[in-house]
Every structure is written in structure tokens, then in C-alpha cells.
Amino acid sequence: MRKVVAITGASSGIGAEFARRLAPDHDLLLIARREDKLLELAAKLTEQYNCEVETMVADLSSDAGIAAVAEKLKTHPRLTILINNAGFGARGRFWESPLEVQDQMHMLHVMATVRLTHAALQNLVAQDSGAIINVASVAAFIRSQGAVSYGATKTWMTTFTEGLYLDLKGAGSRVRVQALCPGFTYTGFHDAMGADRPNLAGSRFWMTAEQVVDASLNGLLLNKVFVIPGWRYRLITALLPKLPSALRLQMETVLGRRREAQILQQQAEAKQLAR
Ligand SMILES: NC(=O)c1ccc[n+]([C@@H]2O[C@H](COP(=O)([O-])OP(=O)(O)OC[C@H]3O[C@@H](n4cnc5c(N)ncnc54)[C@H](OP(=O)(O)O)[C@@H]3O)[C@@H](O)[C@H]2O)c1
């Protein structure tokens, strides 16, 4: 009987790619808010791979949405992997951006990850098999102006994953955990933020969702706790934490100012065009 992989944020981007990659060998539980996208993907995968796909519409920034999914994970008889992938970005100085957005981000990246992982582990630890993949970000290693909550919550995800690793190892469990830390990836993520891709990074820094998911699944086979797709990002994340924090923060301040100037210029050009 096929095992089931549960993927949050499966309606687009990296989550949808995980679903496509895992469908040939697994049944799927796909979770997100956009039902039309989930049903479209489920229909394609069922037809192509003859797998069983269940969809669940849930807002994972709400207590009710998280509780409904957690209940399902706790008792699912064939659960083998939970991928905590749902997430979003937001730009703007912390105190100038709506508190509601900061709250939603913490609920989604932190509380949903806590509660869904807790529920899934009730199930997986008892089976002594399976895995949890937490989709964090390279932003876990780099402080970035205008993205305070994003960096903080993604750093939390990596620390949480390492803690889980230690607890599972200590208990002699065979359940695996992974913090997947992608850099800039072509998905709907930056469109949702209204960000202009070329202004964020040069083309060599952009990866595809396929490359990110490949790296994650290869890493899972090798039992890697941290998976950072792309050698450029592996180099940056290896070097940055080694710098004295005062120097690192100075560099990040300069980069932040440069990016802010680019955004202001872009907004001015857009206004000029609109006239
Ligand atoms: N793209 C990048 O450059 C990049 C880099 C590093 C890390 N990441 C991380 O990768 C993960 C996936 O993002 P992506 O790049 O694939 O972006 P994406 O295409 O925008 O996908 C985000 C997914 O999260 C879901 N989601 C957002 N808010 C949700 C909520 N409140 N409840 C339930 N689901 C919600 C969205 O579905 P609905 O809108 O249908 O709910 C969507 O399926 C995120 O955690 C992101 O932080 C992305």
C-alpha cells in the first residue's frame, strides 16, 4: 500500500513541485487556501500517475485551519512525510507594515510548523519511520532590511529543525528531519510580494523549483539536516556566519540601503510612466 506525503502550500511553486516529484511513488495530501489550484493539480497527478490525491483547503495562519490539518496528520494511517512548505514574504520596515501581516507570518511559519510537526510526529515516531521537511530559506542566515519577520521566522525554522534532529537522535528514532533553505527561486513568491526579480538578484542567483526539490530529495536520501540548493548559496551561508557580527551587520546595512535605493528608483519610474 502506498504511503502518503502531506504538503502544505501545495497550490503553487515549490510545494506543487514536491507533489509532482513524489506522485509517482506516493499518495498525496495537498493543503493550501486556493481550492481551484489544488483540484487542478490533483486531477493532473491522478491522471498521470494513478495516485490517490486528497486536497484540504485550510488557512494555516488561523487556529482553526491549523487544527483541522493537525487532526488529520495525527491519525492518518499511511502518513510518511510532512512538508511544512506554506509561506509568504512581505517587504517594508517592521513598524511601518501592518501588524496583522507580521502576525499571519508568525502563525504560518512558526505556529503552523510547531503544531503540524507535533501532530505528525505522534504518528511517525510510533511507526519509527518517515520524515519532516521544513522549508526555511537562505534568509535564515542573512539579515535583510525590510524583511524582519521573514528572516526571524525562517531562522526559527532552522533552529527548530536542528532541535528536532537532536530529540529524535536522542530517542533512537529513525524519523528524519530536514531544513530546506532555498535562495531566490522562480515561483509565485515574489509576484505575491509585488517584487521585481531583476532588482533582487542577478540571473545566476535564481534557481528553479525543480532544482530546489531535487536537492531536497537527494538530501533526504543522504539524511542531511540542512539542504542549501546551489553552490553560491552554500558558499555564502558557510562564510557569512563566520564574520564578526559587527562587520556582517555593516555589510547587510550597505546592501539594504542599495536595495532600498533601487526600489525607490523603480517606484519613481513607475509613477513617471503612469503619468
Ligand atoms: N521563492 C523563493 O525565492 C523562496 C526562497 C526561499 C524560501 N522560500 C520558501 O518556500 C516556500 C514555498 O514558497 P514558493 O516559493 O513556492 O512560493 P509560492 O509559489 O507563493 O507558494 C506559497 C504557497 O504557500 C501557500 N500559502 C501561503 N499562505 C498560506 C496560508 N495562510 N495558509 C495555507 N497556505 C498558504 C500558498 O497557497 P495558497 O495561496 O493557495 O494558500 C502557496 O501554495 C515558502 O515557505 C517560502 O518562504 C521561497
Side-chain angles (χ1 to χ4, degrees):
M1 192 170 269
R2 282 155 64 112
K3 295 272 193 180
V4 169
V5 179
I7 307 169
T8 72
S11 58
S12 64
I14 295 170
E17 186 54 30
F18 265 118
R20 284 189 281 271
R21 287 294 306 278
L22 292 163
D25 304 311
H26 299 84
D27 289 338
L28 301 169
L29 171 61
L30 305 182
I31 304 142
R33 293 166 304 179
R34 284 171 295 172
E35 187 171 28
D36 56 333
K37 297 271 177 199
L38 288 178
L39 291 176
E40 194 185 318
L41 180 62
K44 265 193 202 153
L45 297 178
T46 309
E47 192 191 330
Q48 204 169 347
Y49 299 108
N50 201 23
C51 56
E52 210 177 87
V53 184
E54 186 179 352
T55 58
M56 229 180 142
V57 175
D59 180 351
L60 295 175
S61 65
S62 75
D63 285 323
I66 300 172
V69 178
E71 196 49 41
K72 185 104 194 168
L73 297 176
K74 212 183 281 181
T75 52
H76 203 301
R78 292 186 288 127
L79 183 72
T80 187
I81 302 178
L82 165 65
I83 305 178
N84 286 307
N85 164 76
F88 72 97
R91 289 214 71 81
R93 291 192 182 108
F94 178 71
W95 65 93
E96 289 173 356
S97 48
L99 182 58
E100 194 192 358
V101 175
Q102 314 292 335
D103 276 357
Q104 279 168 358
M105 188 176 284
H106 280 77
M107 277 296 278
L108 183 61
H109 295 174
V110 179
M111 293 321 297
T113 305
V114 168
R115 296 180 198 168
L116 300 189
T117 303
H118 194 269
L121 285 178
Q122 307 302 309
N123 199 333
L124 300 180
V125 170
Q127 295 173 32
D128 198 22
S129 68
I132 307 279
I133 297 176
N134 291 324
V135 183
S137 169
V138 158
F141 303 88
I142 303 165
R143 308 294 156 248
S144 174
Q145 206 171 298
V148 172
S149 290
Y150 189 75
T153 55
K154 292 298 181 178
T155 305
W156 177 88
M157 283 180 100
T158 57
T159 308
F160 176 67
T161 309
E162 284 186 304
L164 285 176
Y165 172 82
L166 293 177
D167 264 9
L168 288 163
K169 269 268 160 198
S173 171
R174 281 188 291 192
V175 177
R176 291 162 291 164
V177 284
Q178 179 187 114
L180 172 62
C181 301
F184 291 116
T185 310
Y186 292 112
T187 65
F189 183 86
H190 296 94
D191 300 330
M193 284 167 68
D196 188 33
R197 289 199 183 95
N199 265 345
L200 290 172
S203 58
R204 275 173 294 190
F205 280 91
W206 284 88
M207 299 189 72
T208 62
E210 288 87 339
Q211 289 170 316
V212 168
V213 170
D214 260 353
S216 171
L217 296 178
N218 288 337
L220 198 61
L221 290 176
L222 299 172
N223 220 348
K224 282 190 181 172
V225 181
F226 275 92
V227 172
I228 302 169
W231 67 265
R232 289 180 178 84
Y233 289 115
R234 282 195 289 280
L235 189 66
I236 292 169
T237 53
L239 294 180
L240 261 189
K242 301 226 165 25
L243 293 178
S245 57
L247 177 61
R248 178 176 53 73
L249 281 169
Q250 215 170 346
M251 281 173 54
E252 288 162 345
T253 305
V254 171
L255 285 174
R257 283 209 187 110
R258 200 176 293 170
R259 193 166 308 137
E260 197 168 35
Q262 279 171 343
I263 291 168
L264 287 175
Q265 191 185 339
Q266 192 191 328
Q267 285 169 347
E269 282 168 7
K271 262 192 200 156
Q272 195 79 18
L273 276 177
R275 273 192 199 138

